Amino acid sequence: MRRLIAALLCWFAFGLPAHAQDANLLQHVLDELGSHTSVRAAFTQSRENPALTQPQFSRGELLFVVGHGMLWQVTEPYRESIALTGARTLRIDEQGQLQSVRGGDRGVAQVSQMLQSMLSGKPDDALRQFAVEAQGTPAHWTLRFTPRQERMARVLRRIELDGDQFLQGISVELASGESTTIRFAHTRDAGPLSALEKRALDVPR
């Protein structure tokens, strides 16, 4: 889960592209992402590391609600449900009880806030650490992020996002050779939330 959060952190810290065509496509992407106030999707995560003989896989379900946060439900190879909001991180046990996750709360809260900004179509203008290359069309786009700062480039090689009306995938390549790929499927507007989902994300009932 920590590695998934670390990958997601990379979504947000980017600057505006240099070319007007890129800027127009990027703005369209942000507008489209921001038009969906609540989204559900299945996700599959694959992590490759030169030190490992085989990739590591996990899969599950994601719920995102603008202004409230995310609910990550890992189903394979283990089961875990984590609610990330701007103010707290909660683990949901098998009985549906919410338990506060201690340690690193401040960092996780910052990640959650950044993710909400990105998926709301409102990235923080202050986070201009990446050069952005936008390719494709509004119906099928790709955004490639390259670190501007040498210090970050020594750790992170690049990030690539792709999608249509929804975000469909993210790929993160580290300078060490490690890579993480997250693919989303069956992405759709969330529809009604369950009582537990509302409670976990502090959505009014």
Side-chain angles (χ1 to χ4, degrees):
M1 192 64 188
R2 290 181 179 177
R3 292 188 180 277
L4 179 58
I5 292 173
L8 290 171
L9 175 60
C10 298
W11 286 20
F12 324 109
F14 61 83
L16 297 176
H19 303 293
Q21 184 176 357
D22 286 358
N24 291 338
L25 179 57
L26 176 59
Q27 188 59 56
H28 173 87
V29 170
L30 296 178
D31 290 344
E32 188 64 49
L33 292 176
S35 68
H36 304 280
T37 58
S38 59
V39 173
R40 295 184 191 273
F43 72 84
T44 301
Q45 177 179 284
S46 172
R47 173 175 166 256
E48 296 188 21
N49 189 317
L52 302 176
T53 57
Q54 295 182 341
Q56 295 179 321
F57 294 96
S58 61
R59 65 181 68 242
E61 295 283 333
L62 166 71
L63 168 66
F64 170 76
V65 181
V66 170
H68 292 277
M70 314 171 283
L71 181 60
W72 287 95
Q73 297 176 292
V74 180
T75 57
E76 297 179 27
Y78 53 87
R79 300 187 68 86
E80 183 177 49
S81 295
I82 297 289
L84 300 172
T85 72
R88 58 182 183 169
T89 301
L90 300 173
R91 178 174 289 108
I92 306 172
D93 65 21
E94 294 182 357
Q95 288 73 43
Q97 300 299 311
L98 307 180
Q99 303 173 349
S100 179
V101 176
R102 297 181 179 179
D105 286 354
R106 182 178 179 183
V108 172
Q110 291 173 339
V111 170
S112 177
Q113 290 169 345
M114 289 179 181
L115 182 57
Q116 290 183 59
S117 297
M118 176 65 183
L119 295 183
S120 300
K122 301 175 182 179
D124 189 342
D125 290 339
L127 300 176
R128 297 172 181 265
Q129 302 177 46
F130 289 82
V132 183
E133 179 183 358
Q135 296 180 339
T137 67
H140 190 176
W141 48 265
T142 300
L143 304 179
R144 184 173 292 110
F145 304 83
T146 305
R148 297 182 185 276
Q149 300 176 358
E150 182 180 352
R151 180 178 179 182
M152 182 177 291
R154 289 199 293 265
V155 177
L156 176 65
R157 183 171 297 165
R158 69 174 184 174
I159 305 160
E160 190 168 286
L161 309 181
D162 67 89
D164 39 45
Q165 63 175 318
F166 297 106
L167 178 68
Q168 298 295 348
I170 175 173
S171 177
V172 180
E173 295 184 16
L174 302 182
S176 63
E178 181 179 343
S179 64
T180 299
T181 300
I182 304 171
R183 300 301 304 176
F184 299 98
H186 310 300
T187 308
R188 71 275 187 196
D189 289 309
L193 274 60
S194 69
L196 177 59
E197 290 171 339
K198 290 181 179 180
R199 187 156 53 94
L201 295 179
D202 198 22
V203 176
R205 303 178 186 179

